[in-house]
Amino acid sequence: MAAAQRITHSGSWEVRLTPDLEFIEPQIWSDECYRIFGVEPGSTEISKELFYSRVHPDDRDSAWQTRWQVIQDGSETTYEYRLVWPDGSIRTLYDRVKGVVDPNTGRTVKIVGMVQDVTESREAEAR
């Protein structure tokens, strides 16, 4: 699975939630997810604050609203946002997120996703 993620420049992630829908830290990321974010795999614990600090300032609100909607209703959606790497370069990411709902309580207990770096394909489309 790790080789497939490297080939497709896609990573997987998971955020567990408390009964009050707060994030349980640290988040769980695949090695390729770290690389997509410009971070050495396992070099740091991934938190909500770290994630949103890397999302481009103009995209933070919409990224938060998208994830919050999935947390609230256990739905599934896709969205794109820009990411600011530690060196200041901008990457474009495509994220698919799904809520996992406890059938007994109807409450979303975690969100899971797949993120892919689509920078090169978006730049090619623009040309």
Side-chain angles (χ1 to χ4, degrees):
M1 176 122 108
Q5 287 189 10
R6 276 193 303 278
I7 291 166
T8 61
H9 302 291
S10 61
S12 57
W13 56 267
E14 176 179 314
V15 178
R16 296 161 292 146
L17 302 168
T18 69
D20 296 330
L21 303 180
E22 295 295 323
F23 287 31
I24 296 174
E25 308 288 4
Q27 298 177 20
I28 301 165
W29 281 16
S30 69
D31 286 353
E32 192 61 22
C33 201
Y34 278 92
R35 289 183 194 99
I36 289 168
F37 274 71
V39 179
E40 184 65 31
S43 64
T44 187
E45 289 190 343
I46 304 303
S47 66
K48 177 171 71 173
E49 288 77 23
L50 177 66
F51 172 80
Y52 286 107
S53 73
R54 295 286 172 90
V55 173
H56 191 284
D58 293 342
D59 298 344
R60 281 186 195 138
D61 285 342
S62 65
W64 170 249
Q65 290 301 325
T66 300
R67 284 192 174 194
W68 182 241
Q69 186 64 45
V70 170
I71 289 168
Q72 288 182 307
D73 61 22
S75 60
E76 181 176 350
T77 194
T78 61
Y79 65 107
E80 286 190 14
Y81 55 93
R82 291 166 294 168
L83 185 78
V84 181
W85 263 26
D87 68 3
S89 62
I90 306 294
R91 309 298 295 172
T92 301
L93 304 186
Y94 171 86
D95 213 331
R96 175 178 294 276
V97 58
K98 179 177 181 11
V100 177
V101 176
D102 180 326
N104 297 318
T105 64
R107 182 180 67 80
T108 305
V109 293
K110 66 182 173 181
I111 55 175
V112 296
M114 183 283 307
V115 62
Q116 185 173 27
D117 186 334
V118 294
T119 306
E120 284 79 21
S121 62
R122 295 302 178 262
E123 288 173 352
E125 288 171 4
R127 288 190 295 267

